Amino acid sequence: MKVDVLLGLQWGDEGKGKVVDVLTPRYDVVARFQGGPNAGHTLEFEGKKYVLRSIPSGIFQHGQTNIIGNGVVLDPVLFREEAEALEKSGMDLKKILKLSKKIHLIMPTHRLLDAANEKAKGGAKIGTTGKGIGPTYTDKVSRNGLRLGDVYHNFDKKYAAARDRHVAILRSMGENPEFSELEQKWLDAIAYIKEYDIVDSEHLVNKLLDSGKSVLCEGAQGTMLDVDFGSYPFVTSSNTICAGACSGLGVAPNKIGEVFGIFKAYCTRVGAGPFPTELFDETGKLIRDLGHEYGAVTGRERRCGWIDLVALKYAIMINGVTQLIMMKSDVLDGFDEIKACVAYEINGERVEDFPFSIEEDEIKPVYVTLPGWKTDMTAMKSEDEFPQQFKDYITFLEKELKTPITIVSIGPDREQTIIRG
């Protein structure tokens, strides 16, 4: 058996949570492989709305095993809040969710470091969510991290050493950290997490594959936020691309099967950083309002723009995408015209390969304009009902991207999902 990977191809917020929920019935296992609790996956069904931050989006289906892999950084307090809210809805989470021993823990002092680092950057700040994710990954790669499995190995001493190191750094930055209340809440949450099955997840995933189980790997954020291939330095702190599933779960490259790439019919971005197709006019505001483009966890307003096929082709290439999934098509239902960026103009030269830098003052998007479909598609049940202009838009995208679009979302509910034949 091979694992299938599902990930975002833009700047995050593509709708991965809904698609994982839709695809989960095909799989025995859903495993999250990277990222932290800044990634809010929103799911809507049966008239209810759920936002997941760290827990895989496969938990709502039919009792499949769900795994939080070693590539994830976990805030015990936020995890506990999320888990207890789900348990109140009647879910037996401890029965279906397993956590990797090699998860790195977000400490209270990581949050303080996050805020202090952003403050120190002044006008050059990254625009992080302040959840302590970046400093936790920094500790991981500098070999100062605290892992979940450490709860069984001299934990108090390791925690105190990491905390005291952070305090010294904060004081050197002119901060006077006070976090005793947060710390006690954090330690209580650590005790709560120990009620779960904490496992050597790399062994578990591979044994499940060897026994014939099917596994779906769930990514967070999006390809253009990858620490290596995204719009650096305005990126997240982990590898959001398909290769991140290998390092974030302990799965060998030859075990990768289908790669589902998710994108919106337009583009959004949260926080600072370049965004070549961003719209600053009424069209951008209309897309934001129609698409309810506000962060699921943070509530932050998302920047909106037309679809960027230069960036999308790049994302498909480095991920090895085999199937595309288009989200939020319905947001564009009322537009007379739809634009798609097919190239950049940089210093007067047409560029179709995604460049090293995409700073706004250097780049002008080159657009193709297509007719809108001017039809409410939200109640449609099959692609046979799609208006011709929308079918033409899909054909145009498939030709440009050289990859089939196999699923189209026409609304937030799991039922508003068209599987194409």
Side-chain angles (χ1 to χ4, degrees), residues 7 35 59 64 97 117 127-128 132 145 166 290-291 294 315 318 326 331 389-390 394:
L7 39 75
I59 55 161
Q64 285 89 341
L97 180 64
N117 287 335
T128 77
H166 293 164
L290 291 172
Y294 300 90
I318 60 177
M326 182 161 66
V331 173
Q389 290 90 339
F390 183 62
I394 291 175

Side-chain angles (χ1 to χ4, degrees), residues 34-37 54 71-75 103-106 133 136-137 140:
Q34 52 74 224
S54 298
V72 172
V73 294
L74 192 75
D75 184 323
I103 287 170
H104 278 251
L105 296 172
I106 301 173
I133 293 162
T136 306
Y137 276 114
K140 177 178 179 175

Side-chain angles (χ1 to χ4, degrees), residues 8 14 80 126 129 157-158 185 202 208 226 228 316 344 404:
E14 298 94 350
R80 182 179 188 174
I126 302 296
T129 55
K157 183 178 178 181
K158 290 179 180 179
K185 195 174 181 182
E202 64 274 32
L208 287 166
D226 183 270
D228 282 293
I316 290 167
Y344 299 151

Side-chain angles (χ1 to χ4, degrees), residues 35-38 72-75 104-121 126-147 162-163 165-167 169-170 173 227 235-238:
N38 60 336
V72 172
V73 294
L74 192 75
D75 184 323
H104 278 251
L105 296 172
I106 301 173
M107 298 166 51
T109 42
H110 280 129
R111 282 188 168 225
L112 301 180
L113 284 166
D114 206 351
N117 287 335
E118 281 287 87
K119 180 181 172 183
K121 286 186 173 75
I126 302 296
T128 77
T129 55
K131 296 284 194 287
I133 293 162
T136 306
Y137 276 114
T138 298
D139 276 358
K140 177 178 179 175
V141 297
S142 66
R143 302 181 296 280
N144 289 298
L146 187 69
R147 299 185 294 175
R163 176 199 61 203
R165 177 177 168 272
H166 293 164
V167 169
I169 294 170
L170 285 160
M173 299 174 74
V227 68
V235 293
T236 194
S237 304
S238 58

Side-chain angles (χ1 to χ4, degrees), residues 32-336:
R32 168 91 175 265
F33 64 82
Q34 52 74 224
N38 60 336
H41 289 179
T42 304
L43 298 87
E44 293 186 33
F45 53 89
E46 297 171 2
K48 294 182 179 179
K49 181 177 179 179
Y50 300 88
V51 178
L52 301 176
R53 293 176 293 208
S54 298
I55 295 171
S57 304
I59 55 161
F60 292 109
Q61 289 288 355
H62 308 289
Q64 285 89 341
T65 298
N66 283 255
I67 300 169
I68 302 178
N70 59 274
V72 172
V73 294
L74 192 75
D75 184 323
V77 175
L78 293 180
F79 171 81
R80 182 179 188 174
E81 290 174 1
E82 185 178 346
E84 288 183 339
L86 292 168
E87 287 171 332
K88 282 179 184 175
S89 68
M91 186 173 297
D92 189 357
L93 205 57
K94 294 184 181 74
K95 184 178 179 182
I96 61 174
L97 180 64
K98 301 180 186 298
L99 291 80
S100 173
K101 290 180 182 177
K102 293 184 171 68
I103 287 170
H104 278 251
L105 296 172
I106 301 173
M107 298 166 51
T109 42
H110 280 129
R111 282 188 168 225
L112 301 180
L113 284 166
D114 206 351
N117 287 335
E118 281 287 87
K119 180 181 172 183
K121 286 186 173 75
K125 64 182 181 180
I126 302 296
T128 77
T129 55
K131 296 284 194 287
I133 293 162
T136 306
Y137 276 114
T138 298
D139 276 358
K140 177 178 179 175
V141 297
S142 66
R143 302 181 296 280
N144 289 298
L146 187 69
R147 299 185 294 175
L148 182 54
D150 287 328
V151 297
Y152 305 118
H153 300 279
N154 204 10
F155 183 71
D156 292 345
K157 183 178 178 181
K158 290 179 180 179
Y159 169 70
R163 176 199 61 203
D164 294 348
R165 177 177 168 272
H166 293 164
V167 169
I169 294 170
L170 285 160
R171 285 178 176 157
S172 74
M173 299 174 74
E175 302 290 331
N176 185 26
E178 174 52 54
F179 54 92
S180 56
E181 189 176 327
L182 285 174
E183 182 177 56
Q184 189 54 55
K185 195 174 181 182
W186 189 87
L187 292 169
D188 291 344
I190 288 289
Y192 169 78
I193 287 179
K194 289 172 74 174
E195 298 173 15
Y196 284 80
D197 198 2
I198 300 172
V199 301
D200 292 303
S201 57
E202 64 274 32
H203 290 297
L204 175 62
V205 170
N206 281 285
K207 285 176 180 176
L208 287 166
L209 288 171
D210 289 343
S211 68
K213 300 295 184 184
S214 53
V215 179
L216 179 64
C217 305
E218 175 186 6
Q221 289 95 27
T223 297
M224 303 315 298
L225 294 175
D226 183 270
V227 68
D228 282 293
F229 297 102
S231 50
Y232 191 90
F234 300 97
V235 293
T236 194
S237 304
S238 58
N239 284 116
T240 60
I241 61 172
C242 186
C246 298
S247 58
L249 287 170
V251 174
N254 65 351
K255 295 281 182 69
I256 301 292
E258 294 291 327
V259 180
F260 298 101
I262 304 180
F263 70 99
K264 286 176 181 169
Y266 50 95
C267 258
T268 63
R269 178 162 197 166
V270 173
F275 183 2
T277 63
E278 184 172 7
L279 294 168
F280 299 95
D281 57 9
E282 286 301 310
T283 300
K285 184 179 184 300
L286 181 59
I287 291 174
R288 183 184 304 118
D289 292 342
L290 291 172
H292 308 290
E293 293 296 353
Y294 300 90
V297 169
T298 63
R300 287 196 296 178
E301 194 175 88
R302 293 177 187 145
R303 300 153 63 191
C304 297
W306 295 118
I307 194 167
D308 184 339
L309 300 186
V310 179
L312 203 49
K313 288 176 184 177
Y314 178 72
I316 290 167
M317 175 185 74
I318 60 177
N319 285 302
V321 173
T322 59
Q323 297 184 48
L324 288 169
I325 299 170
M326 182 161 66
M327 309 298 291
K328 291 202 166 183
S329 310
D330 52 296
V331 173
L332 302 181
D333 279 356
F335 285 76
D336 293 321

Side-chain angles (χ1 to χ4, degrees), residues 16-26 43 57 61 407 413-417 419:
K16 295 176 290 295
K18 171 186 171 176
V19 179
V20 172
D21 177 62
V22 168
L23 293 180
T24 293
R26 305 181 187 180
L43 298 87
S57 304
Q61 289 288 355
I407 297 176
D413 194 276
R414 69 159 63 133
E415 299 299 322
Q416 293 173 296
T417 310
I419 312 294

